[in-house]
Amino acid sequence: MTIRAQRLVRLLLAPLLGACLLAGCDSGSRADDDGTSRSARQRERARQVADAWRGSAAATAWSQGYYPMADTVRIPESGWHSRADEHAYETGNFTLRGRLPAATAAKGKVGWPSGDTLTRPLWGAEQAYHSFARNDSAGPRLTVTGAKLGTATITTSRGTATVPAWLFTLEGYDTPLERVAVTPSKLPRSPIAEVSQGSAGGLWSVPRITGTAADGGSVTVRATHGACDDGPVVRALETEESVVLYASVAGAESGPCTDQMIMQDVEVELRRPLGERVLLDAVAGRPVPFGEPGGPSPSWT
């Protein structure tokens, strides 16, 4: 079962005032409380990541690949009929009544409105089923009675795409549960090495993205902080090719503190829509994945 991170109050975000530098424009979630030198070191690392990716083989591979940036599992259009059904889905508690069909082909085609297409390995119905049906225990559960291969639309790093999907029939529901049936592309090797947590003026990694505004004007990311601070700060260094997110913690107190990590969703406003720009983490030096690492909808493995 994936542990759902506790959501605290969402920070109000505003662009960081200042001139646009050649390497990119800096926008963020709050004013810098840690001093100019720390902030400058953080921005410098973000610029190094942006410069390393600009024109790199990794950037080329990313622009040509298939990387989902939204849930690869879609619940029925009507939503869940009860809290018990919702709980069953959240815990992956399913039961299968009947047999699932075999895949009709080994590969499936991903298509974008531009006309670009990409062929990717196709999951079988059983593999797709077990990606979300991770439990079979006592308590509320959902019953799958069949499946057929169809299509679905999903947001990707290259915009909205039409992809093959398994459509699972659920007992008591008129519309299916959809599971994207093609595997993501392999993540390209980053052109810049990762740095350690807390280095470069107190940088912390951005573990994942949890959503993008419909107009692309902001992204919501999962950030971490401790029990004795004022919360996470997430800023963005924007260039034509990328958006580098660099996170830190504000108002950390000295002295004894409980040893715990708190997850918080932070919305980061961008100076212009994200579009097809790659979203990068300054600490890791690689793209920020979508979704819970152990959940049914990670961007890539």
Side-chain angles (χ1 to χ4, degrees), residues 68-151:
M69 300 301 286
D71 284 329
T72 55
V73 180
R74 305 279 182 81
I75 70 172
E77 293 178 4
S78 62
W80 299 118
H81 292 172
S82 65
R83 181 65 186 96
D85 284 359
E86 182 180 11
H87 180 71
Y89 173 71
E90 291 173 347
T91 58
N93 202 17
F94 285 78
T95 188
L96 176 62
R97 181 182 300 165
R99 301 183 65 180
L100 296 173
T104 57
K107 295 181 181 292
K109 183 177 291 185
V110 180
W112 288 270
S114 63
D116 291 342
T117 61
L118 186 66
T119 300
R120 296 296 305 155
L122 185 70
W123 281 18
E126 186 170 347
Q127 183 182 7
Y129 171 76
H130 286 293
S131 71
F132 60 81
R134 307 178 306 279
N135 193 9
D136 187 7
S137 61
R141 65 177 64 193
L142 291 161
T143 300
V144 171
T145 59
K148 65 178 181 180
L149 190 61
T151 61

Side-chain angles (χ1 to χ4, degrees), residues 35-276:
T36 303
S37 60
R38 288 172 60 85
S39 180
R41 292 200 298 274
Q42 294 169 14
R43 287 195 300 271
E44 176 58 26
R45 168 62 183 179
R47 290 191 185 97
Q48 290 171 0
V49 172
D51 290 345
W53 273 79
R54 184 182 294 115
S56 66
T60 299
W62 177 267
S63 68
Q64 296 174 353
Y66 161 62
Y67 301 99
M69 300 301 286
D71 284 329
T72 55
V73 180
R74 305 279 182 81
I75 70 172
E77 293 178 4
S78 62
W80 299 118
H81 292 172
S82 65
R83 181 65 186 96
D85 284 359
E86 182 180 11
H87 180 71
Y89 173 71
E90 291 173 347
T91 58
N93 202 17
F94 285 78
T95 188
L96 176 62
R97 181 182 300 165
R99 301 183 65 180
L100 296 173
T104 57
K107 295 181 181 292
K109 183 177 291 185
V110 180
W112 288 270
S114 63
D116 291 342
T117 61
L118 186 66
T119 300
R120 296 296 305 155
L122 185 70
W123 281 18
E126 186 170 347
Q127 183 182 7
Y129 171 76
H130 286 293
S131 71
F132 60 81
R134 307 178 306 279
N135 193 9
D136 187 7
S137 61
R141 65 177 64 193
L142 291 161
T143 300
V144 171
T145 59
K148 65 178 181 180
L149 190 61
T151 61
T153 59
I154 187 171
T155 300
T156 75
S157 59
R158 297 163 61 180
T160 301
T162 300
V163 296
W166 285 105
L167 312 180
F168 291 92
T169 305
L170 296 179
E171 188 176 73
Y173 288 85
D174 295 330
T175 55
L177 183 148
E178 302 176 357
R179 205 313 177 183
V180 171
V182 286
T183 61
S185 300
K186 182 180 179 180
L187 190 65
R189 181 183 179 87
S190 175
I192 187 169
E194 183 175 359
V195 297
S196 59
Q197 297 276 11
S199 64
L203 279 181
W204 291 91
S205 65
V206 178
R208 52 192 173 274
I209 180 174
T210 59
T212 304
D215 62 358
S218 67
V219 294
T220 301
V221 298
R222 188 67 49 82
T224 60
H225 67 104
C228 301
D229 55 55
D230 293 335
V233 181
V234 184
R235 297 186 176 92
L237 180 77
E238 302 187 44
T239 73
E240 289 296 317
E241 301 84 8
S242 64
V243 174
V244 185
L245 299 179
Y246 58 107
S248 59
V249 174
E253 300 176 4
S254 60
C257 183
T258 58
D259 184 15
Q260 65 184 106
M261 178 181 290
I262 300 172
M263 294 282 193
Q264 178 174 325
D265 277 5
V266 178
E267 185 181 14
V268 183
E269 295 178 354
L270 305 177
R271 294 182 181 274
R272 65 181 180 85
L274 178 62
E276 296 185 15

